Amino acid sequence: MSIVLATVNPGEAEVFSSLQGEGLGLGRPSVFVRLSRCNLACRWCDTAYTWRFSGDNRPHRDEVAFERAENQIAMSEEDAAALILAHPEDRLVITGGEPLLQGAALARVVALLKAARPALHVEIETNGTVAVHPALDPLVDQFNVSPKLAHSGNDAALALVPERLAEWALDARAWFKFVVASPADLAEISGLQDRFGIASDHLFVMPEGTASSILRERSRWLAEEALERGWRFTDRLHIHLYGDTRGT
């Protein structure tokens, strides 16, 4: 059985060591694996090569279509686990795309990893719309849940699933991260927090942007808003360190 990963270069799976750039684990050395495919289409997505393949005309600000064969690789679950275990870090970040679309395969990969390295801390980055596979759920230490707001361009009926958001809000392993492009987004976040009972100390706001200059400009006012509202603030460390590049 196989699992589908994104690539750094054609035929080279995107598995890499880096510092976690966002959220609760910001600055922590981690090994990352990026899976391919997504059920949403954010117009500002900085990993559109995981889903916007030729023939997919969903809106994106760059209007670039990627060749599937060059940007996606299927590999056996055993090979994927071995590739991850070749990295020494004791924290694994599974990102995408939307990783939970491959929940069953991912559960088998993580089971292999935990058998080989029982102390491995596993976190999954998700858009919050997909239920966790029952075999995967007990293997995960942390969920980084990033619901997509109206400015993402997704239909709210697809991006904000009430049943899912209510479940995440009750899960102590779930940390919410909202991408913020303008002050107008803050009212939407407040509304979601009130509706689903999201704890303020589990709610991060993060500036949208793929350039340090834009992030710094937005951080100035967003940090003040977070302080006033009792939310957490997170930067995008990897953008400042490496720019908008794959495998970082």
Side-chain angles (χ1 to χ4, degrees):
M1 289 179 279
S2 63
I3 189 165
V4 183
L5 283 70
T7 63
V8 178
N9 297 300
E12 179 185 353
E14 191 169 0
V15 178
F16 59 96
S17 297
S18 190
L19 300 176
Q20 170 62 288
E22 303 171 356
L24 186 66
L26 192 147
R28 286 179 178 266
S30 305
V31 54
F32 291 78
V33 55
R34 187 177 303 282
L35 302 190
S36 189
R37 303 205 307 261
C38 192
N39 59 325
L40 299 181
C42 298
R43 63 181 52 157
W44 39 255
C45 179
D46 57 1
T47 57
Y49 59 90
T50 65
W51 59 269
R52 201 173 191 273
F53 304 120
S54 295
D56 188 333
N57 296 318
R58 288 177 292 177
H60 188 270
R61 65 184 172 193
D62 295 335
E63 297 185 351
V64 175
F66 298 88
E67 293 301 321
R68 186 185 295 271
E70 295 178 358
N71 292 278
Q72 191 179 80
I73 183 171
M75 58 195 313
S76 73
E77 293 159 4
E78 293 77 12
D79 287 348
L83 196 57
I84 294 165
L85 289 169
H87 294 258
E89 291 80 16
D90 62 0
R91 299 179 73 89
L92 169 65
V93 180
I94 303 166
T95 187
E98 174 47 59
L100 295 182
L101 292 176
Q102 301 187 65
L106 192 53
R108 292 188 289 269
V109 171
V110 174
L112 292 171
L113 296 174
K114 290 275 194 176
R117 197 176 292 173
L120 183 68
H121 180 279
V122 176
E123 58 187 84
I124 294 180
E125 301 190 333
T126 174
N127 60 33
T129 65
V130 182
V132 187
H133 191 281
L136 176 63
D137 190 48
L139 302 175
V140 181
D141 300 287
Q142 179 179 326
F143 291 98
N144 304 323
V145 184
S146 184
K148 305 311 177 189
L149 304 177
H151 69 83
S152 71
N154 292 289
D155 188 324
L158 299 176
L160 302 172
V161 181
E163 180 184 358
R164 297 279 85 81
L165 292 175
E167 290 172 349
W168 291 121
L170 292 173
D171 193 330
R173 299 170 297 169
W175 299 80
F176 285 78
K177 180 186 69 185
F178 291 95
V179 177
V180 178
S182 75
D185 302 327
L186 302 176
E188 188 177 359
I189 296 171
S190 290
L192 292 171
Q193 180 181 24
D194 292 343
R195 180 180 177 187
F196 296 105
I198 301 170
S200 292
D201 67 347
H202 275 238
L203 192 161
F204 284 88
V205 286
M206 182 183 76
E208 189 276 319
T210 54
S212 282
S213 58
I214 294 174
L215 293 175
R216 293 191 191 285
E217 177 185 345
R218 290 175 174 167
S219 292
R220 281 193 289 270
W221 55 262
L222 183 56
E224 289 301 316
E225 289 286 353
L227 180 61
E228 183 176 331
R229 296 167 184 264
W231 298 339
R232 294 193 177 198
F233 170 86
T234 180
D235 204 346
R236 306 194 73 205
L237 178 63
H238 52 297
I239 296 295
H240 297 301
L241 293 177
Y242 311 112
D244 182 20
T245 55
R246 301 192 196 192
T248 58

